[in-house]
Amino acid sequence: MVEEVERWLMTRTWSLSDRPLHRIMAAKRATGQSVSVVLPALNEEATVGDIVTVIRHDLMERVPLVDEIVVVDSGSTDRTAEVAAAAGARVVHRDSILPRIPAVPGKGEVLWRSLLVTGGDIVCFIDADLRDFSSDFVSGIVGPLLTEPGVDLVKGMYDRPLAGAAGQGGRVTELMARPLLNLHWPQLAGFVQPLGGEYAARRSLLEQLPFPVGYGVELGMLVDSLHLVGLDALAQVDVGVRKHRHQDGQALGRMAAAIYRTAQLRLARGHLVRPSITQFERGEDGFEARTYSVDTEERPPMAEIAEYAARKVA
């Protein structure tokens, strides 16, 4: 297994310099494939506009790599929707997509529904809280899907500084996701940022995958893609440095619980662990227990949804 991962790292891990933009554009023209960029957003008015502006300027106006930018708003109470629309994105509210299935909170829920309101052959997901955003994040991870017919999913990899310290971000990755992958799915041990929110995939793959509704979506997608298309159809590209808003320790604990739950469902569909996590906060009378539910729901592959099938026929 170690040898397989080492071989994969040599053949399916790239840097931005491996694919200059002119080569990516030549491949797009030759293949005729379209590209959608999706930003799932919840109260990101401070950053979403800058991200949309950079993508539009660099990859739609300067070169026509991206065919559409869609911001899916999952219930923002700030000006996320207005800022994104003013910057040039098409904004769709989560609850307006597939209204017959009531929406639940969670990032995976938004990504799943985005397949119904985008048309690209390649779908690129970008988190909406990135700072100092570079369009290399998009072109870098979309590039292999245009130039390598055998690649179906590409993850971005990057440094994640925390409070000015290099390489200290990604705490849930190091404490939960990486041990799980190394122990149970060692073929995926070569992914530097398995939980990263910047990745792109062929629609033909995404529509076959179940989507955990919450924070488990990235790990679930990697594991399910491995089983569906194999390791050599997965790749990663070094896109530099990722700066974003970091969550507090308790939020990370809830995230880790959701990720473990996602892994556990894939390890054994029988016995299920307790779908909740209890955490402690100091109150006036000492530590107080607070219990949160862990995301347990998963959406079925989009190919099984009647509205999606009807849209494809139309």
Side-chain angles (χ1 to χ4, degrees):
M1 192 64 67
V2 172
E3 290 79 6
E4 184 178 10
V5 173
E6 289 178 347
R7 177 195 58 79
W8 179 83
L9 284 168
M10 294 292 294
T11 60
R12 286 291 185 264
T13 297
W14 295 296
S15 67
L16 289 171
S17 61
D18 291 327
R19 286 175 186 79
L21 189 55
H22 67 83
R23 180 185 167 198
I24 296 172
M25 287 306 304
K28 177 177 167 68
R29 289 190 293 269
T31 61
Q33 296 179 88
S34 54
V35 177
S36 299
V37 174
V38 172
L39 279 71
L42 176 63
N43 295 329
E44 303 294 358
E45 67 174 344
T47 50
V48 68
D50 290 341
I51 297 172
V52 171
T53 297
V54 169
I55 296 172
R56 282 199 63 86
H57 175 267
D58 292 359
L59 302 179
M60 296 184 80
E61 297 167 359
R62 199 163 69 182
V63 296
L65 176 63
V66 172
D67 297 279
E68 63 174 348
I69 306 174
V70 179
V71 171
V72 183
D73 184 3
S74 57
S76 297
T77 56
D78 65 2
R79 297 181 60 253
T80 290
E82 293 88 338
V83 170
R90 176 160 58 93
V91 179
V92 184
H93 195 282
R94 174 199 62 196
D95 295 350
S96 69
I97 307 169
L98 200 62
R100 73 172 176 85
I101 300 178
V104 297
K107 180 182 180 182
E109 177 84 351
V110 174
L111 301 185
W112 182 71
R113 289 175 186 262
S114 75
L115 297 181
L116 265 167
V117 293
T118 54
D121 303 301
I122 294 169
V123 182
C124 175
F125 299 116
I126 300 291
D127 281 350
D129 65 342
L130 302 187
R131 295 182 286 107
D132 301 331
F133 178 77
S134 167
S135 60
D136 288 340
F137 273 66
V138 174
S139 58
I141 57 181
V142 166
L145 294 165
L146 291 169
T147 62
E148 306 288 336
V151 172
D152 290 330
L153 183 148
V154 180
K155 296 280 293 188
M157 62 178 184
Y158 29 68
D159 296 314
R160 296 181 67 179
L162 175 64
Q168 296 303 307
R171 291 160 288 172
V172 175
T173 292
E174 300 303 329
L175 296 175
M176 178 58 71
R178 200 175 308 287
L180 281 172
L181 293 177
N182 276 265
L183 291 170
H184 299 295
W185 296 281
Q187 287 177 294
L188 298 174
F191 276 95
V192 175
Q193 297 290 353
L195 301 184
E198 289 69 46
Y199 51 97
R202 300 190 193 280
R203 178 176 295 272
S204 57
L205 171 61
L206 293 171
E207 66 188 15
Q208 297 181 69
L209 298 176
F211 276 62
V213 298
Y215 284 120
V217 63
E218 275 87 21
L219 183 132
M221 190 176 294
L222 266 187
V223 171
D224 294 338
S225 295
L226 174 67
H227 290 302
L228 193 62
V229 295
L231 182 61
D232 283 341
L234 313 179
Q236 60 186 349
V237 174
D238 187 347
V239 293
V241 178
R242 183 187 197 266
K243 298 179 181 179
H244 66 114
R245 183 185 67 254
H246 292 281
Q247 302 198 52
D248 63 37
Q250 294 218 335
L252 296 179
R254 296 190 290 274
M255 186 184 304
I259 290 164
Y260 179 77
R261 169 72 173 190
T262 298
Q264 193 273 338
L265 285 172
R266 281 152 179 78
L267 287 167
R269 293 284 176 174
H271 172 70
L272 302 181
V273 296
R274 171 178 175 255
S276 59
I277 180 173
T278 298
Q279 297 177 316
F280 297 88
E281 297 180 10
R282 185 180 290 279
E284 293 181 1
D285 299 320
F287 282 102
E288 300 173 357
R290 300 190 180 180
T291 299
Y292 300 87
S293 62
V294 173
D295 297 318
T296 59
E297 191 168 355
E298 295 198 5
R299 295 305 191 189
M302 188 57 78
E304 298 177 6
I305 300 298
E307 289 88 338
Y308 186 79
R311 190 195 75 159
K312 293 187 73 174
V313 171

